[in-house]
Amino acid sequence: MGEHYFAERPGAASRRRAVDLVLPDLHLRLETDRGMFSPDRVDAGTRILLETVPAPPPTGDLLDLGCGYGPIALTMARRSPQASVWGVDVNRRAIELAEANASASGLDNVRFSLVDETDPGLRFAAIWSNPPIRIGKPALHDLLLAWLPRLVPGGLAHLVVQKHLGSDSLQRWLNDQGFPTERIASRSAYRILQVSARADARTEGHAR
């Protein structure tokens, strides 16, 4: 794979370009760069998620987990202008570009930050994510266990995962962890998993 896009400070020389995200309800032109996830086009999984996921809550705090240069977070912000959208990532270069893309798109209800610099008191009405499967199963599980408990009671997460990268086993694992999970859509070998907050969501929620 070369250098992983989940490095905090990518070593790849910068080479910026622009990509278009065109959905039935919006068109965003996004600046990208080397050293981050899918810099040459909006990833197919991300596009499928955004085309199939139910509308985000109109208000509250919403999260894009692993935001990259921002296509999911900016879509949430455009679709729910009265909500507060948060995008988090480990990649500083991606965070900087996501902020620039939000400004260029005229979206002032979205904020981006590094994972470790995000307010631990935030709780989310919705989480959307194209999770970084390639960080490996233990690290992925740790990531999800740090953020899914921060769903408010009744909150939902929607994850897009390729079948051959373990969507079915991830669904089983999430259920085993107490997060009711079901597949709500399937297209081109991608699965959209809907994850409900744990029954004990009122007492859970601190990042680990």
Side-chain angles (χ1 to χ4, degrees):
M1 288 181 64
E3 183 183 41
H4 291 303
Y5 58 84
F6 39 84
E8 179 180 355
R9 298 182 183 277
S14 177
R15 189 171 67 214
R16 294 192 177 188
R17 58 169 298 172
V19 300
D20 289 290
L21 173 61
V22 181
L23 300 169
D25 59 329
L26 60 85
H27 178 188
L28 297 172
R29 189 157 182 82
L30 306 171
E31 192 170 11
T32 76
D33 202 345
R34 297 174 66 195
M36 60 190 63
F37 178 65
S38 195
D40 298 323
R41 61 184 177 88
V42 176
D43 171 71
T46 294
R47 184 179 297 279
I48 289 170
L49 175 74
L50 296 176
E51 289 174 348
T52 59
V53 73
T59 59
D61 292 302
L62 317 179
L63 175 68
D64 173 7
L65 179 59
C67 62
Y69 51 85
I72 293 175
L74 298 185
T75 299
M76 297 175 90
R78 178 67 61 82
R79 289 176 176 172
S80 294
Q82 302 306 312
S84 295
V85 179
W86 306 85
V88 301
D89 206 293
V90 299
N91 186 321
R92 288 182 180 272
R93 184 180 295 179
I95 289 293
E96 291 170 0
L97 271 183
E99 291 173 338
N101 286 329
S103 179
S105 299
L107 295 168
D108 60 5
N109 62 326
V110 57
R111 300 289 182 272
F112 295 94
S113 65
L114 294 171
V115 168
D116 294 339
E117 297 177 359
T118 306
D119 181 357
L122 284 170
R123 301 294 177 264
F124 302 103
I127 297 174
W128 290 6
S129 182
N130 184 347
I133 299 296
R134 296 185 186 279
I135 63 176
K137 189 175 293 186
L140 175 66
H141 288 176
D142 287 347
L143 179 70
L144 294 175
L145 288 177
W147 291 92
L148 291 177
R150 296 172 68 169
L151 284 167
V152 301
L156 294 173
H158 289 91
L159 315 177
V160 59
V161 185
Q162 285 193 49
K163 180 180 180 181
H164 77 271
L165 291 180
S167 62
D168 295 343
S169 62
L170 181 61
Q171 180 179 348
R172 290 191 295 271
W173 178 81
L174 287 166
N175 276 304
D176 289 343
Q177 302 305 307
F179 296 100
T181 302
E182 60 179 316
R183 184 200 308 171
I184 64 166
S186 178
R187 192 199 307 172
S188 303
Y190 288 91
R191 307 287 192 252
I192 306 297
L193 303 180
Q194 179 175 280
V195 187
S196 299
R198 279 173 170 160
D200 58 358
R202 292 185 185 277
T203 57
E204 286 257 12
H206 294 288
R208 303 170 186 173

mmCIF file with all atom_site columns, all heavy atoms in Angstrom, residues 95-115:
data_model
loop_
_atom_site.group_PDB
_atom_site.id
_atom_site.type_symbol
_atom_site.label_atom_id
_atom_site.label_alt_id
_atom_site.label_comp_id
_atom_site.label_asym_id
_atom_site.label_entity_id
_atom_site.label_seq_id
_atom_site.pdbx_PDB_ins_code
_atom_site.Cartn_x
_atom_site.Cartn_y
_atom_site.Cartn_z
_atom_site.occupancy
_atom_site.B_iso_or_equiv
_atom_site.pdbx_formal_charge
_atom_site.auth_seq_id
_atom_site.auth_comp_id
_atom_site.auth_asym_id
_atom_site.auth_atom_id
_atom_site.pdbx_PDB_model_num
ATOM 1   N N   . ILE A 1 95  ? -7.066  16.644 8.004  1.00 0.00 ? 95  ILE A N   1
ATOM 2   C CA  . ILE A 1 95  ? -7.850  17.583 8.809  1.00 0.00 ? 95  ILE A CA  1
ATOM 3   C C   . ILE A 1 95  ? -7.740  19.003 8.246  1.00 0.00 ? 95  ILE A C   1
ATOM 4   O O   . ILE A 1 95  ? -8.735  19.732 8.126  1.00 0.00 ? 95  ILE A O   1
ATOM 5   C CB  . ILE A 1 95  ? -7.384  17.556 10.280 1.00 0.00 ? 95  ILE A CB  1
ATOM 6   C CG1 . ILE A 1 95  ? -7.793  16.241 10.954 1.00 0.00 ? 95  ILE A CG1 1
ATOM 7   C CG2 . ILE A 1 95  ? -7.926  18.748 11.051 1.00 0.00 ? 95  ILE A CG2 1
ATOM 8   C CD1 . ILE A 1 95  ? -9.273  16.067 11.123 1.00 0.00 ? 95  ILE A CD1 1
ATOM 9   N N   . GLU A 1 96  ? -6.533  19.415 7.886  1.00 0.00 ? 96  GLU A N   1
ATOM 10  C CA  . GLU A 1 96  ? -6.339  20.753 7.332  1.00 0.00 ? 96  GLU A CA  1
ATOM 11  C C   . GLU A 1 96  ? -7.122  20.936 6.032  1.00 0.00 ? 96  GLU A C   1
ATOM 12  O O   . GLU A 1 96  ? -7.741  21.986 5.806  1.00 0.00 ? 96  GLU A O   1
ATOM 13  C CB  . GLU A 1 96  ? -4.854  21.000 7.105  1.00 0.00 ? 96  GLU A CB  1
ATOM 14  C CG  . GLU A 1 96  ? -4.054  21.120 8.407  1.00 0.00 ? 96  GLU A CG  1
ATOM 15  C CD  . GLU A 1 96  ? -2.559  21.129 8.172  1.00 0.00 ? 96  GLU A CD  1
ATOM 16  O OE1 . GLU A 1 96  ? -2.143  21.035 6.986  1.00 0.00 ? 96  GLU A OE1 1
ATOM 17  O OE2 . GLU A 1 96  ? -1.809  21.232 9.158  1.00 0.00 ? 96  GLU A OE2 1
ATOM 18  N N   . LEU A 1 97  ? -7.115  19.916 5.185  1.00 0.00 ? 97  LEU A N   1
ATOM 19  C CA  . LEU A 1 97  ? -7.853  20.018 3.929  1.00 0.00 ? 97  LEU A CA  1
ATOM 20  C C   . LEU A 1 97  ? -9.355  20.001 4.169  1.00 0.00 ? 97  LEU A C   1
ATOM 21  O O   . LEU A 1 97  ? -10.110 20.704 3.489  1.00 0.00 ? 97  LEU A O   1
ATOM 22  C CB  . LEU A 1 97  ? -7.460  18.870 2.992  1.00 0.00 ? 97  LEU A CB  1
ATOM 23  C CG  . LEU A 1 97  ? -6.265  19.128 2.080  1.00 0.00 ? 97  LEU A CG  1
ATOM 24  C CD1 . LEU A 1 97  ? -6.031  17.953 1.159  1.00 0.00 ? 97  LEU A CD1 1
ATOM 25  C CD2 . LEU A 1 97  ? -6.471  20.396 1.256  1.00 0.00 ? 97  LEU A CD2 1
ATOM 26  N N   . ALA A 1 98  ? -9.813  19.183 5.128  1.00 0.00 ? 98  ALA A N   1
ATOM 27  C CA  . ALA A 1 98  ? -11.242 19.147 5.441  1.00 0.00 ? 98  ALA A CA  1
ATOM 28  C C   . ALA A 1 98  ? -11.719 20.522 5.897  1.00 0.00 ? 98  ALA A C   1
ATOM 29  O O   . ALA A 1 98  ? -12.802 20.984 5.505  1.00 0.00 ? 98  ALA A O   1
ATOM 30  C CB  . ALA A 1 98  ? -11.517 18.091 6.509  1.00 0.00 ? 98  ALA A CB  1
ATOM 31  N N   . GLU A 1 99  ? -10.931 21.194 6.723  1.00 0.00 ? 99  GLU A N   1
ATOM 32  C CA  . GLU A 1 99  ? -11.289 22.544 7.164  1.00 0.00 ? 99  GLU A CA  1
ATOM 33  C C   . GLU A 1 99  ? -11.372 23.500 5.973  1.00 0.00 ? 99  GLU A C   1
ATOM 34  O O   . GLU A 1 99  ? -12.298 24.321 5.878  1.00 0.00 ? 99  GLU A O   1
ATOM 35  C CB  . GLU A 1 99  ? -10.266 23.042 8.178  1.00 0.00 ? 99  GLU A CB  1
ATOM 36  C CG  . GLU A 1 99  ? -10.321 22.296 9.513  1.00 0.00 ? 99  GLU A CG  1
ATOM 37  C CD  . GLU A 1 99  ? -9.190  22.694 10.450 1.00 0.00 ? 99  GLU A CD  1
ATOM 38  O OE1 . GLU A 1 99  ? -8.162  23.202 9.944  1.00 0.00 ? 99  GLU A OE1 1
ATOM 39  O OE2 . GLU A 1 99  ? -9.338  22.489 11.666 1.00 0.00 ? 99  GLU A OE2 1
ATOM 40  N N   . ALA A 1 100 ? -10.405 23.392 5.078  1.00 0.00 ? 100 ALA A N   1
ATOM 41  C CA  . ALA A 1 100 ? -10.418 24.257 3.895  1.00 0.00 ? 100 ALA A CA  1
ATOM 42  C C   . ALA A 1 100 ? -11.619 23.948 3.007  1.00 0.00 ? 100 ALA A C   1
ATOM 43  O O   . ALA A 1 100 ? -12.240 24.856 2.442  1.00 0.00 ? 100 ALA A O   1
ATOM 44  C CB  . ALA A 1 100 ? -9.116  24.084 3.111  1.00 0.00 ? 100 ALA A CB  1
ATOM 45  N N   . ASN A 1 101 ? -11.963 22.686 2.875  1.00 0.00 ? 101 ASN A N   1
ATOM 46  C CA  . ASN A 1 101 ? -13.112 22.305 2.055  1.00 0.00 ? 101 ASN A CA  1
ATOM 47  C C   . ASN A 1 101 ? -14.422 22.805 2.659  1.00 0.00 ? 101 ASN A C   1
ATOM 48  O O   . ASN A 1 101 ? -15.332 23.218 1.937  1.00 0.00 ? 101 ASN A O   1
ATOM 49  C CB  . ASN A 1 101 ? -13.151 20.784 1.878  1.00 0.00 ? 101 ASN A CB  1
ATOM 50  C CG  . ASN A 1 101 ? -12.083 20.294 0.916  1.00 0.00 ? 101 ASN A CG  1
ATOM 51  O OD1 . ASN A 1 101 ? -11.705 20.997 -0.017 1.00 0.00 ? 101 ASN A OD1 1
ATOM 52  N ND2 . ASN A 1 101 ? -11.598 19.082 1.145  1.00 0.00 ? 101 ASN A ND2 1
ATOM 53  N N   . ALA A 1 102 ? -14.518 22.766 3.983  1.00 0.00 ? 102 ALA A N   1
ATOM 54  C CA  . ALA A 1 102 ? -15.715 23.300 4.636  1.00 0.00 ? 102 ALA A CA  1
ATOM 55  C C   . ALA A 1 102 ? -15.854 24.795 4.366  1.00 0.00 ? 102 ALA A C   1
ATOM 56  O O   . ALA A 1 102 ? -16.945 25.294 4.052  1.00 0.00 ? 102 ALA A O   1
ATOM 57  C CB  . ALA A 1 102 ? -15.660 23.029 6.134  1.00 0.00 ? 102 ALA A CB  1
ATOM 58  N N   . SER A 1 103 ? -14.751 25.514 4.479  1.00 0.00 ? 103 SER A N   1
ATOM 59  C CA  . SER A 1 103 ? -14.772 26.957 4.234  1.00 0.00 ? 103 SER A CA  1
ATOM 60  C C   . SER A 1 103 ? -15.143 27.256 2.789  1.00 0.00 ? 103 SER A C   1
ATOM 61  O O   . SER A 1 103 ? -15.974 28.136 2.519  1.00 0.00 ? 103 SER A O   1
ATOM 62  C CB  . SER A 1 103 ? -13.407 27.554 4.576  1.00 0.00 ? 103 SER A CB  1
ATOM 63  O OG  . SER A 1 103 ? -13.380 28.936 4.321  1.00 0.00 ? 103 SER A OG  1
ATOM 64  N N   . ALA A 1 104 ? -14.539 26.509 1.856  1.00 0.00 ? 104 ALA A N   1
ATOM 65  C CA  . ALA A 1 104 ? -14.817 26.740 0.437  1.00 0.00 ? 104 ALA A CA  1
ATOM 66  C C   . ALA A 1 104 ? -16.262 26.422 0.087  1.00 0.00 ? 104 ALA A C   1
ATOM 67  O O   . ALA A 1 104 ? -16.836 27.024 -0.839 1.00 0.00 ? 104 ALA A O   1
ATOM 68  C CB  . ALA A 1 104 ? -13.871 25.911 -0.417 1.00 0.00 ? 104 ALA A CB  1
ATOM 69  N N   . SER A 1 105 ? -16.867 25.496 0.837  1.00 0.00 ? 105 SER A N   1
ATOM 70  C CA  . SER A 1 105 ? -18.261 25.109 0.582  1.00 0.00 ? 105 SER A CA  1
ATOM 71  C C   . SER A 1 105 ? -19.252 25.977 1.341  1.00 0.00 ? 105 SER A C   1
ATOM 72  O O   . SER A 1 105 ? -20.466 25.781 1.215  1.00 0.00 ? 105 SER A O   1
ATOM 73  C CB  . SER A 1 105 ? -18.465 23.633 0.971  1.00 0.00 ? 105 SER A CB  1
ATOM 74  O OG  . SER A 1 105 ? -17.630 22.782 0.211  1.00 0.00 ? 105 SER A OG  1
ATOM 75  N N   . GLY A 1 106 ? -18.754 26.915 2.137  1.00 0.00 ? 106 GLY A N   1
ATOM 76  C CA  . GLY A 1 106 ? -19.631 27.808 2.869  1.00 0.00 ? 106 GLY A CA  1
ATOM 77  C C   . GLY A 1 106 ? -20.376 27.140 4.003  1.00 0.00 ? 106 GLY A C   1
ATOM 78  O O   . GLY A 1 106 ? -21.465 27.576 4.383  1.00 0.00 ? 106 GLY A O   1
ATOM 79  N N   . LEU A 1 107 ? -19.784 26.093 4.574  1.00 0.00 ? 107 LEU A N   1
ATOM 80  C CA  . LEU A 1 107 ? -20.429 25.347 5.652  1.00 0.00 ? 107 LEU A CA  1
ATOM 81  C C   . LEU A 1 107 ? -19.776 25.722 6.976  1.00 0.00 ? 107 LEU A C   1
ATOM 82  O O   . LEU A 1 107 ? -18.608 25.409 7.217  1.00 0.00 ? 107 LEU A O   1
ATOM 83  C CB  . LEU A 1 107 ? -20.308 23.840 5.396  1.00 0.00 ? 107 LEU A CB  1
ATOM 84  C CG  . LEU A 1 107 ? -21.064 23.341 4.152  1.00 0.00 ? 107 LEU A CG  1
ATOM 85  C CD1 . LEU A 1 107 ? -20.655 21.919 3.796  1.00 0.00 ? 107 LEU A CD1 1
ATOM 86  C CD2 . LEU A 1 107 ? -22.566 23.427 4.378  1.00 0.00 ? 107 LEU A CD2 1
ATOM 87  N N   . ASP A 1 108 ? -20.536 26.382 7.837  1.00 0.00 ? 108 ASP A N   1
ATOM 88  C CA  . ASP A 1 108 ? -19.987 26.838 9.113  1.00 0.00 ? 108 ASP A CA  1
ATOM 89  C C   . ASP A 1 108 ? -20.504 26.041 10.303 1.00 0.00 ? 108 ASP A C   1
ATOM 90  O O   . ASP A 1 108 ? -20.275 26.421 11.450 1.00 0.00 ? 108 ASP A O   1
ATOM 91  C CB  . ASP A 1 108 ? -20.257 28.325 9.318  1.00 0.00 ? 108 ASP A CB  1
ATOM 92  C CG  . ASP A 1 108 ? -21.751 28.666 9.324  1.00 0.00 ? 108 ASP A CG  1
ATOM 93  O OD1 . ASP A 1 108 ? -22.582 27.740 9.267  1.00 0.00 ? 108 ASP A OD1 1
ATOM 94  O OD2 . ASP A 1 108 ? -22.071 29.867 9.391  1.00 0.00 ? 108 ASP A OD2 1
ATOM 95  N N   . ASN A 1 109 ? -21.205 24.941 10.038 1.00 0.00 ? 109 ASN A N   1
ATOM 96  C CA  . ASN A 1 109 ? -21.720 24.105 11.126 1.00 0.00 ? 109 ASN A CA  1
ATOM 97  C C   . ASN A 1 109 ? -20.945 22.801 11.261 1.00 0.00 ? 109 ASN A C   1
ATOM 98  O O   . ASN A 1 109 ? -21.448 21.803 11.778 1.00 0.00 ? 109 ASN A O   1
ATOM 99  C CB  . ASN A 1 109 ? -23.205 23.791 10.909 1.00 0.00 ? 109 ASN A CB  1
ATOM 100 C CG  . ASN A 1 109 ? -23.476 22.993 9.630  1.00 0.00 ? 109 ASN A CG  1
ATOM 101 O OD1 . ASN A 1 109 ? -22.784 23.191 8.632  1.00 0.00 ? 109 ASN A OD1 1
ATOM 102 N ND2 . ASN A 1 109 ? -24.480 22.122 9.653  1.00 0.00 ? 109 ASN A ND2 1
ATOM 103 N N   . VAL A 1 110 ? -19.704 22.793 10.793 1.00 0.00 ? 110 VAL A N   1
ATOM 104 C CA  . VAL A 1 110 ? -18.875 21.595 10.850 1.00 0.00 ? 110 VAL A CA  1
ATOM 105 C C   . VAL A 1 110 ? -17.494 21.976 11.364 1.00 0.00 ? 110 VAL A C   1
ATOM 106 O O   . VAL A 1 110 ? -16.959 23.030 11.007 1.00 0.00 ? 110 VAL A O   1
ATOM 107 C CB  . VAL A 1 110 ? -18.796 20.891 9.465  1.00 0.00 ? 110 VAL A CB  1
ATOM 108 C CG1 . VAL A 1 110 ? -18.264 21.822 8.392  1.00 0.00 ? 110 VAL A CG1 1
ATOM 109 C CG2 . VAL A 1 110 ? -17.967 19.621 9.537  1.00 0.00 ? 110 VAL A CG2 1
ATOM 110 N N   . ARG A 1 111 ? -16.948 21.138 12.227 1.00 0.00 ? 111 ARG A N   1
ATOM 111 C CA  . ARG A 1 111 ? -15.626 21.340 12.801 1.00 0.00 ? 111 ARG A CA  1
ATOM 112 C C   . ARG A 1 111 ? -14.825 20.057 12.654 1.00 0.00 ? 111 ARG A C   1
ATOM 113 O O   . ARG A 1 111 ? -15.376 18.949 12.744 1.00 0.00 ? 111 ARG A O   1
ATOM 114 C CB  . ARG A 1 111 ? -15.717 21.702 14.282 1.00 0.00 ? 111 ARG A CB  1
ATOM 115 C CG  . ARG A 1 111 ? -16.498 22.982 14.577 1.00 0.00 ? 111 ARG A CG  1
ATOM 116 C CD  . ARG A 1 111 ? -15.722 24.208 14.138 1.00 0.00 ? 111 ARG A CD  1
ATOM 117 N NE  . ARG A 1 111 ? -16.440 25.437 14.467 1.00 0.00 ? 111 ARG A NE  1
ATOM 118 C CZ  . ARG A 1 111 ? -17.347 26.019 13.678 1.00 0.00 ? 111 ARG A CZ  1
ATOM 119 N NH1 . ARG A 1 111 ? -17.654 25.469 12.509 1.00 0.00 ? 111 ARG A NH1 1
ATOM 120 N NH2 . ARG A 1 111 ? -17.947 27.127 14.046 1.00 0.00 ? 111 ARG A NH2 1
ATOM 121 N N   . PHE A 1 112 ? -13.519 20.198 12.493 1.00 0.00 ? 112 PHE A N   1
ATOM 122 C CA  . PHE A 1 112 ? -12.641 19.042 12.329 1.00 0.00 ? 112 PHE A CA  1
ATOM 123 C C   . PHE A 1 112 ? -11.544 19.076 13.382 1.00 0.00 ? 112 PHE A C   1
ATOM 124 O O   . PHE A 1 112 ? -11.046 20.148 13.744 1.00 0.00 ? 112 PHE A O   1
ATOM 125 C CB  . PHE A 1 112 ? -12.022 19.037 10.925 1.00 0.00 ? 112 PHE A CB  1
ATOM 126 C CG  . PHE A 1 112 ? -13.035 18.864 9.830  1.00 0.00 ? 112 PHE A CG  1
ATOM 127 C CD1 . PHE A 1 112 ? -13.581 19.972 9.194  1.00 0.00 ? 112 PHE A CD1 1
ATOM 128 C CD2 . PHE A 1 112 ? -13.454 17.600 9.462  1.00 0.00 ? 112 PHE A CD2 1
ATOM 129 C CE1 . PHE A 1 112 ? -14.528 19.821 8.193  1.00 0.00 ? 112 PHE A CE1 1
ATOM 130 C CE2 . PHE A 1 112 ? -14.400 17.431 8.461  1.00 0.00 ? 112 PHE A CE2 1
ATOM 131 C CZ  . PHE A 1 112 ? -14.939 18.548 7.823  1.00 0.00 ? 112 PHE A CZ  1
ATOM 132 N N   . SER A 1 113 ? -11.146 17.894 13.849 1.00 0.00 ? 113 SER A N   1
ATOM 133 C CA  . SER A 1 113 ? -10.067 17.829 14.833 1.00 0.00 ? 113 SER A CA  1
ATOM 134 C C   . SER A 1 113 ? -9.425  16.454 14.793 1.00 0.00 ? 113 SER A C   1
ATOM 135 O O   . SER A 1 113 ? -10.003 15.480 14.287 1.00 0.00 ? 113 SER A O   1
ATOM 136 C CB  . SER A 1 113 ? -10.596 18.114 16.244 1.00 0.00 ? 113 SER A CB  1
ATOM 137 O OG  . SER A 1 113 ? -11.494 17.103 16.662 1.00 0.00 ? 113 SER A OG  1
ATOM 138 N N   . LEU A 1 114 ? -8.216  16.378 15.334 1.00 0.00 ? 114 LEU A N   1
ATOM 139 C CA  . LEU A 1 114 ? -7.570  15.090 15.519 1.00 0.00 ? 114 LEU A CA  1
ATOM 140 C C   . LEU A 1 114 ? -8.347  14.285 16.555 1.00 0.00 ? 114 LEU A C   1
ATOM 141 O O   . LEU A 1 114 ? -8.967  14.844 17.475 1.00 0.00 ? 114 LEU A O   1
ATOM 142 C CB  . LEU A 1 114 ? -6.133  15.281 15.973 1.00 0.00 ? 114 LEU A CB  1
ATOM 143 C CG  . LEU A 1 114 ? -5.192  15.927 14.952 1.00 0.00 ? 114 LEU A CG  1
ATOM 144 C CD1 . LEU A 1 114 ? -3.868  16.260 15.622 1.00 0.00 ? 114 LEU A CD1 1
ATOM 145 C CD2 . LEU A 1 114 ? -4.970  15.009 13.762 1.00 0.00 ? 114 LEU A CD2 1
ATOM 146 N N   . VAL A 1 115 ? -8.298  12.978 16.420 1.00 0.00 ? 115 VAL A N   1
ATOM 147 C CA  . VAL A 1 115 ? -9.043  12.091 17.318 1.00 0.00 ? 115 VAL A CA  1
ATOM 148 C C   . VAL A 1 115 ? -8.738  12.411 18.774 1.00 0.00 ? 115 VAL A C   1
ATOM 149 O O   . VAL A 1 115 ? -9.650  12.534 19.605 1.00 0.00 ? 115 VAL A O   1
ATOM 150 C CB  . VAL A 1 115 ? -8.716  10.621 16.992 1.00 0.00 ? 115 VAL A CB  1
ATOM 151 C CG1 . VAL A 1 115 ? -9.233  9.695  18.087 1.00 0.00 ? 115 VAL A CG1 1
ATOM 152 C CG2 . VAL A 1 115 ? -9.318  10.223 15.652 1.00 0.00 ? 115 VAL A CG2 1
#
